Coordinates of all heavy atoms in Angstrom, one line a residue:
T3 N 32.0 10.3 -27.3 CA 30.7 10.8 -27.6 C 30.3 11.8 -26.5 O 30.4 11.5 -25.3 CB 29.7 9.6 -27.6 OG1 30.1 8.7 -28.6 CG2 28.3 10.1 -27.9
K4 N 29.9 13.0 -26.9 CA 29.5 14.0 -26.0 C 28.0 13.8 -25.5 O 27.1 13.6 -26.4 CB 29.6 15.4 -26.6 CG 31.0 15.8 -26.9 CD 31.1 17.2 -27.5 CE 32.5 17.5 -27.9 NZ 32.6 18.9 -28.5
I5 N 27.8 13.9 -24.2 CA 26.5 13.8 -23.6 C 26.3 15.0 -22.7 O 27.2 15.4 -22.0 CB 26.4 12.6 -22.8 CG1 26.4 11.3 -23.7 CG2 25.1 12.6 -21.9 CD1 26.2 10.0 -22.9
V6 N 25.1 15.6 -22.8 CA 24.7 16.6 -21.8 C 23.7 15.9 -20.9 O 22.7 15.4 -21.3 CB 24.1 17.9 -22.4 CG1 23.5 18.8 -21.4 CG2 25.2 18.7 -23.2
L7 N 24.0 16.0 -19.6 CA 23.2 15.3 -18.6 C 22.6 16.4 -17.7 O 23.3 17.3 -17.2 CB 24.1 14.4 -17.8 CG 23.6 13.7 -16.5 CD1 22.4 12.8 -16.8 CD2 24.7 13.0 -15.8
F27 N 32.1 8.0 -22.1 CA 31.5 9.2 -22.7 C 32.1 10.4 -22.2 O 32.8 10.4 -21.1 CB 30.0 9.2 -22.3 CG 29.1 8.2 -23.0 CD1 28.7 7.1 -22.3 CD2 28.7 8.3 -24.3 CE1 27.9 6.1 -22.8 CE2 27.9 7.4 -24.9 CZ 27.5 6.3 -24.1
K46 N 27.1 21.0 -28.3 CA 26.5 20.2 -29.4 C 26.6 18.7 -29.2 O 27.4 18.0 -29.9 CB 27.1 20.6 -30.7 CG 26.9 22.1 -31.1 CD 27.5 22.5 -32.4 CE 27.4 23.9 -32.7 NZ 26.9 24.9 -31.9
P47 N 26.0 18.2 -28.1 CA 26.1 16.8 -27.8 C 25.4 15.8 -28.8 O 24.6 16.3 -29.6 CB 25.3 16.7 -26.4 CG 24.3 17.7 -26.6 CD 25.0 18.9 -27.3
K48 N 25.8 14.6 -28.8 CA 25.2 13.5 -29.6 C 23.9 13.1 -29.0 O 23.1 12.5 -29.7 CB 26.1 12.3 -29.7 CG 27.3 12.6 -30.6 CD 26.8 12.5 -32.1 CE 28.0 12.6 -33.0 NZ 27.6 12.7 -34.4
I49 N 23.7 13.3 -27.7 CA 22.5 12.9 -26.9 C 22.4 13.7 -25.7 O 23.4 14.2 -25.1 CB 22.6 11.4 -26.6 CG1 21.2 10.8 -26.1 CG2 23.7 11.0 -25.7 CD1 21.1 9.3 -26.1
I50 N 21.1 13.9 -25.3 CA 20.8 14.7 -24.1 C 20.0 13.7 -23.1 O 19.1 13.1 -23.5 CB 19.9 15.9 -24.4 CG1 20.7 16.8 -25.4 CG2 19.5 16.6 -23.2 CD1 19.8 17.7 -26.2
I51 N 20.5 13.7 -21.9 CA 19.8 12.9 -20.8 C 19.2 13.9 -19.9 O 19.8 14.8 -19.4 CB 20.8 12.1 -20.0 CG1 21.8 11.3 -20.9 CG2 20.1 11.2 -19.0 CD1 21.1 10.3 -21.8
T77 N 18.6 15.9 -32.2 CA 19.4 15.3 -31.1 C 18.6 14.4 -30.2 O 17.6 14.9 -29.7 CB 20.1 16.4 -30.3 OG1 20.8 17.3 -31.1 CG2 21.0 15.8 -29.2
P78 N 18.9 13.2 -30.1 CA 18.1 12.3 -29.2 C 18.1 12.8 -27.8 O 19.0 13.3 -27.2 CB 18.9 11.0 -29.3 CG 19.7 11.0 -30.5 CD 20.1 12.5 -30.7
I79 N 16.9 12.7 -27.2 CA 16.7 13.1 -25.8 C 16.2 11.8 -25.1 O 15.2 11.2 -25.5 CB 15.6 14.2 -25.7 CG1 16.1 15.5 -26.4 CG2 15.3 14.4 -24.2 CD1 15.1 16.6 -26.5
V80 N 16.8 11.5 -24.0 CA 16.4 10.4 -23.1 C 15.9 11.0 -21.8 O 16.7 11.6 -21.1 CB 17.5 9.4 -22.9 CG1 17.0 8.3 -21.9 CG2 18.0 8.8 -24.2
E115 N 21.9 1.4 -22.1 CA 20.6 1.9 -22.5 C 20.7 3.2 -23.2 O 20.1 3.5 -24.2 CB 19.6 2.1 -21.3 CG 19.1 0.8 -20.7 CD 18.3 1.0 -19.5 OE1 17.1 1.3 -19.6 OE2 18.8 1.0 -18.3
V116 N 21.5 4.1 -22.7 CA 21.8 5.4 -23.3 C 22.4 5.2 -24.6 O 22.0 5.8 -25.6 CB 22.7 6.3 -22.4 CG1 23.2 7.5 -23.1 CG2 21.9 6.7 -21.1
R117 N 23.4 4.4 -24.7 CA 24.1 4.2 -26.0 C 23.2 3.7 -27.1 O 23.4 4.1 -28.3 CB 25.3 3.1 -25.8 CG 26.3 3.1 -26.9 CD 27.4 2.1 -26.6 NE 28.2 2.4 -25.4 CZ 29.1 3.3 -25.3 NH1 29.4 4.1 -26.3 NH2 29.8 3.4 -24.1
Q118 N 22.2 3.0 -26.8 CA 21.3 2.5 -27.9 C 20.5 3.5 -28.6 O 20.0 3.4 -29.7 CB 20.4 1.4 -27.4 CG 19.2 1.9 -26.5 CD 18.3 0.8 -26.0 OE1 18.4 -0.4 -26.4 NE2 17.5 1.1 -25.1
Y119 N 20.4 4.7 -28.0 CA 19.6 5.8 -28.6 C 20.5 6.8 -29.4 O 20.0 7.7 -30.0 CB 18.9 6.6 -27.5 CG 17.9 5.7 -26.8 CD1 18.0 5.4 -25.4 CD2 16.8 5.2 -27.5 CE1 17.1 4.5 -24.8 CE2 15.9 4.3 -26.8 CZ 16.1 4.0 -25.5 OH 15.2 3.2 -24.8
I120 N 21.8 6.6 -29.4 CA 22.7 7.5 -30.1 C 22.7 7.0 -31.6 O 22.9 5.9 -31.9 CB 24.2 7.4 -29.5 CG1 24.1 7.9 -28.1 CG2 25.1 8.2 -30.4 CD1 25.4 7.7 -27.4
K121 N 22.6 8.0 -32.4 CA 22.6 7.7 -33.9 C 24.0 7.6 -34.4 O 24.9 8.3 -34.0 CB 21.8 8.8 -34.6 CG 20.4 8.8 -34.3 CD 19.7 9.9 -35.1 CE 18.2 9.8 -34.9 NZ 17.4 10.7 -35.6

Side-chain angles (χ1 to χ4, degrees):
T3 301
K4 293 180 182 179
I5 291 182
V6 169
L7 173 61
F27 288 103
K46 299 180 183 9
K48 286 285 188 189
I49 191 166
I50 301 161
I51 310 301
T77 305
I79 297 172
V80 177
E115 289 178 85
V116 168
R117 194 177 302 280
Q118 75 181 348
Y119 299 113
I120 297 172
K121 293 184 176 181

